[in-house]
Amino acid sequence: MRAALFSFALAAVAAAGSAEAQTPPAELEARALFDAGRQAAEEERHADALRLFERSLELHPTAAAAFNAAMSARRAGEITTGLRHVDALLEGAHGALPEARRAEVEALRRELRAEVGTLTVRVEPPETRVLVDGEEVDPERFFLAPPRQTITLMYPDGTRQEREVEVRAGERQTLQIVQPVSAPSIRAESSDGAPSDDTPAIVGGVIGAALVVGVAIAIGVAVHEESQLGEPFVGRAETLSLRF
């Protein structure tokens, strides 16, 4: 089982011998990290193996290192990381993938996809950045591990907001979120344009008048807003789920 798991790696790194003297130092280091990753995987130190394969990828990208990084990520329980490596592998980001191995990699991707939820975030304004664990993701499609995760929204005006998401394995969700609108502050000025000392009295008068004249309206607005939110979250949010 273990030998079959890393057979792809063994086939990809067989070349050595006399050509090693002409190999760039970065590639030699990448190869050493790759071998250390294989050793860690054989000892079932999968988190260590993942980091070693990823460091090898940074120095010298190869399909073998990407494949083994994905396998180690799965064994370490880092499913979304495994998917990232598999997607890069299938897209050719780490060199050509042998056709004889493509079916194997695609099967691995299907298995990984069944273990995570897929999210799409539609947010207003559209320039808003979406982050997971401090890293920016593509709002059109990213993966989260069940059962619950937190995404961070970075709005164009510099404000940020965190949103907790219920994640269901094998399902795709679309979140529709609108940036909260800040309430304008009330500031009174004197006739000469300077801030007035009567600000508290003015504000109190305005609030008092609103309470006397528009109690029914205020209650109606409060009920309407509560029904829109449905949970302690500022802004509108809806979740649509579809099973693959």
Side-chain angles (χ1 to χ4, degrees), residues 32-165:
L33 288 166
F34 184 92
D35 290 339
R38 283 173 46 205
Q39 181 65 35
E42 290 173 1
E43 296 171 359
E44 299 187 359
R45 294 185 290 109
H46 301 298
D48 292 339
L50 170 60
R51 306 309 167 209
L52 289 164
F53 287 130
E54 287 183 328
R55 287 169 57 194
S56 178
L57 271 173
E58 292 173 0
L59 291 172
H60 183 65
T62 65
F67 178 84
N68 283 279
M71 295 298 292
S72 294
R74 185 182 192 186
R75 296 289 187 269
E78 299 186 34
I79 306 302
T80 56
T81 299
L83 266 171
R84 176 166 53 82
H85 287 303
V86 166
D87 282 345
L89 187 58
L90 290 172
E91 292 166 3
H94 303 308
L97 176 64
E99 284 302 317
R101 296 293 180 180
R102 180 167 291 275
E104 181 181 354
V105 176
E106 290 175 344
L108 173 60
R109 187 177 191 277
R110 287 192 296 271
E111 293 173 4
L112 292 173
R113 284 285 296 271
E115 298 180 31
V116 299
T118 307
L119 261 71
T120 296
V121 175
R122 311 290 190 197
V123 62
E124 291 293 339
E127 296 82 10
T128 301
R129 297 163 57 212
V130 180
L131 290 82
V132 177
D133 294 332
E135 294 188 10
E136 188 169 357
V137 297
D138 181 359
E140 287 298 319
R141 190 198 69 174
F142 60 98
F143 307 109
L144 292 178
R148 182 176 299 173
Q149 298 290 340
T150 300
I151 63 173
T152 301
L153 305 168
M154 299 293 295
Y155 295 107
D157 63 4
T159 60
R160 59 183 289 160
Q161 185 179 45
E162 291 190 345
R163 167 71 166 161
E164 193 173 76
V165 180

Side-chain angles (χ1 to χ4, degrees), residues 159-178:
T159 60
R160 59 183 289 160
Q161 185 179 45
E162 291 190 345
R163 167 71 166 161
E164 193 173 76
V165 180
E166 296 285 346
V167 183
R168 293 175 290 276
E171 292 190 6
R172 180 165 191 150
Q173 300 179 63
T174 298
L175 297 182
Q176 298 179 332
I177 303 175
V178 177

